[in-house]
Structure formats: C-alpha cells, structure tokens
Amino acid sequence: MDLRELTTLRVGGSPRELLSPETPDELVRASLDVWASGEEWMALGGGSNIVVGDDGFDGSVIRVLTRGIEALPSVPGTARLRVQAGEPWDELVSYTVDRGLAGIEAMAGIPGSSGAGPIQNIGAYGQELSDTLVSVEFLDHETGRLEVIPAARLELGYRSSVFKAGRRGIVLSIELELTDAEGLSRPVASQQLATAIGAAFGDRIPVGVIRDAVLALRRVKGMVLDAADPDTTSAGSFFTNPLVAASFARALPPDAAQWPIEPDRVKLSAAWLIERAGIGRGFSLPGSGAAISSKHTLAIVNTGSATASDILELARFVQERVRNEFGVALQPEPGYIGMTSGD
C-alpha cells in the first residue's frame, strides 16, 4: 500500500513494511520487534502532518490503530481521561463536548490521532494541548522501556516538544485533565473566535457552541477534511507562525499581523507574510500539481496530480519569496519523510 493512501496530502510511495497494531500490547510488541531489527522505522497516526517522498520509505511503518477513551478518578470540577494513541483527535473532542467537558473544544476539526498531539503540541483558537495534558505513556526507543512522562517534562512550546526535538519512541496513550463546569467552555482566548460567536474575549460559552463555531471557521479555510472539497487535500497549515524578536517585528510594515507573546518576543502571521510576498490563494508553479489553497494561503494542497516533489518545490518557493521580502525563514509544520526540505 502506498503511503499516499494513508496521508491527508495524498502523496508518497510505499514503505518496505507496514504494520498495523490495534491494541496497546500489539503496538508495544510490534515496536520492539522492529527496533530490534535495527531497520529504519517511523510511526504513523492519522497521516495529517507529514509529506512522504515519492520513493516511499525504506523501512517499517508502524501504523497506530489503538482506540479507547477511559474515564479516570478526578476531583470535583474536573474530569480526567486516558486516551489511546490511535483515537482520532476530532472524535475525542466530540466525546468531551458531548459530555460537557471543557479544555479542548476550540481544537475541534484538527485532523490526526490523539497520540500525535503532544509531538507538536497541537493548538488552535487560543487553546493548546499543553493546557490540559497531564502525562503521556511512552515506549522509549533507546531503552525499550515503558514510562509515564509528566507534561512538565515534555518541554511543550509553540508546535514543539522533546519528541519533535529528537527523542524517539512511541506515544501509547495520553492523559488529559478537563474542566467539568456544567457544559461551559474555558474562557474564550481567541479574538477571532469571540467575534465569530458574538462574545467577548474571556467569556465562557457552551462547549457545543464553541465546537460548532470552530468547525465553521476551519471549513471556510479548507481546514476540515472533506472528500468533496479539494482544498482539504493538504497537511493543514504548512508553515508555523514565526517567532521573532520584538525589535525585528517593529521594523515590519505597520499593518503586519503580529502578537506579543513575551516582553521581547513576537509571533508573526505566516499567512500575512506569504500574501505580502506576492503569493496569493490558488497560486501554483507552472506544470505543478501542488497549489496554495484557494481558501487560505497557509495551506499547500494537492490539486489531484501532485507528487511529493511538487509539494516540496512549492514550499521552497514560498520560503524563498518570504525570506527575500522580509528576512524571515518560514519553518514547515509537517515532517518530511524520505526527502529533505533543503532549507
């Protein structure tokens, strides 16, 4: 099976071996067996945040298919959940919203599996996984040991963690602590979301209203997977929003979208940088099957015939234009498998 069939960008060749464990025990055994062989390997969840090379992957792919959500003992006003790594993230959000639990409702519609969430500390509309993550159950590649790692030791930051920095292994499950407050959300922490629902920043709104509003916002941007919408054949946001020194940000044009995050650090809008560098929605290089989404400049989409090389070529073009125009190096959000960014 080609990996294009298992990834949201629909590009990528075949792996040498594909394993699909469905229980935690099977996942541990499969991982240890592959590691003992000394061959190259990779874990695959929902396939929503990777670009696989056209030649595929010369190693073993461990496709994580474990499912399950377990309620754990918790103190009044909270709810703790243990979630198996293969549980689809958006289904987890729906599970919590249906029970009136708050903490991840603004992250509705994010594709991929729950176990992949801590890898890049997923987030959207003012919420991040680090806000609710208690710990992860982790099988360490180096030692072969199972351990429970508290969230405080994961070095979670903006789309970053110890895993993204290089610690290898398999996330088996995650534990979350959510708020149980009669179906009300955490305080709204995104002005865009607040405006969409006619609320004020910091208001607490029924979690179902938050989820529905977020899904509507994401659909407008082509960020909810939909087989009938070609703009969703993507890896979501392809570039992270750059973090720069406040002094650098002050030198940008006055209308540059930016948000202070520390006294001397500012987050810039990658979408604004791309658009102001002259790359608009729907842009494509001649003869390429890859294009900028017609709905949102942060997404690179497969128009139906794209190769991984097409995706990479367009990404490099965008990076070069933004660097030349603003001196900012955009960083890809998805991981590259069997290929290199060259950037």
Side-chain angles (χ1 to χ4, degrees), residues 10-310:
R10 298 291 185 245
V11 296
S14 301
R16 185 193 310 161
E17 178 183 35
L18 177 64
L19 304 172
S20 301
E22 297 183 359
T23 70
D25 286 345
E26 289 174 356
L27 178 55
V28 170
R29 287 196 299 271
S31 300
L32 293 176
D33 287 346
V34 168
W35 297 347
S37 73
E39 296 183 354
E40 289 295 316
W41 67 278
M42 61 171 280
L44 179 67
S48 62
N49 205 43
I50 59 173
V51 184
V52 180
D54 298 313
D55 292 333
F57 180 69
D58 189 20
S60 296
V61 171
I62 304 169
R63 188 183 180 200
V64 181
L65 297 178
T66 54
R67 300 289 296 267
I69 302 172
E70 175 188 3
L72 302 174
S74 59
V75 300
T78 69
R80 286 208 176 196
L81 301 176
R82 178 179 294 121
V83 184
Q84 295 303 314
E87 192 70 32
W89 174 260
D90 191 52
E91 293 185 22
L92 170 62
V93 175
S94 294
Y95 174 97
T96 63
V97 168
D98 289 346
R99 287 158 179 76
L101 306 178
I104 60 175
E105 62 278 3
M107 292 188 279
I110 294 178
S113 62
S114 296
I119 307 302
Q120 62 165 2
N121 187 26
I122 57 173
Y125 297 101
Q127 291 182 349
E128 289 188 332
L129 182 57
S130 56
D131 300 333
T132 55
L133 186 67
V134 175
S135 63
V136 302
E137 185 183 13
F138 185 68
L139 183 65
D140 188 271
H141 173 251
E142 183 175 349
T143 65
R145 295 178 182 172
L146 275 172
E147 56 183 304
V148 175
I149 309 177
R153 287 175 44 205
L154 297 179
E155 300 177 15
L156 299 171
Y158 175 62
R159 305 298 175 267
S160 64
S161 68
V162 293
F163 308 123
K164 201 162 185 182
R167 184 170 184 182
R168 300 196 73 195
I170 300 283
V171 173
L172 300 177
S173 67
I174 64 174
E175 184 175 329
L176 305 179
E177 183 172 88
L178 305 174
T179 302
D180 188 357
E182 299 181 348
L184 292 179
S185 69
R186 296 274 179 101
V188 176
S190 160
Q191 189 57 58
Q192 183 182 12
L193 177 57
T195 300
I197 58 179
F201 194 90
D203 281 355
R204 300 181 69 194
I205 306 296
V207 288
V209 173
I210 296 292
R211 176 186 58 186
D212 291 347
V214 166
L215 289 173
L217 286 168
R218 292 180 66 89
R219 286 192 183 97
V220 168
K221 300 175 182 178
M223 295 291 181
V224 176
L225 294 177
D226 182 352
D229 183 356
D231 268 313
T232 68
T233 309
S234 75
S237 297
F238 202 91
F239 300 103
T240 59
N241 290 321
L243 304 180
V244 300
S247 57
F248 181 92
R250 286 193 291 270
L252 294 171
D255 63 334
Q258 53 185 271
W259 306 271
I261 57 172
E262 298 172 6
D264 61 345
R265 297 279 283 175
V266 171
K267 182 189 295 184
L268 303 179
S269 166
W272 184 92
L273 293 167
I274 293 167
E275 291 167 8
R276 286 295 295 267
I279 299 173
R281 299 177 187 183
F283 174 86
S284 181
L285 295 171
S288 175
I292 300 297
S293 166
S294 66
K295 295 187 175 81
H296 199 285
T297 49
L298 260 189
I300 293 177
V301 302
N302 181 345
T303 63
S305 60
T307 63
S309 298
D310 289 339

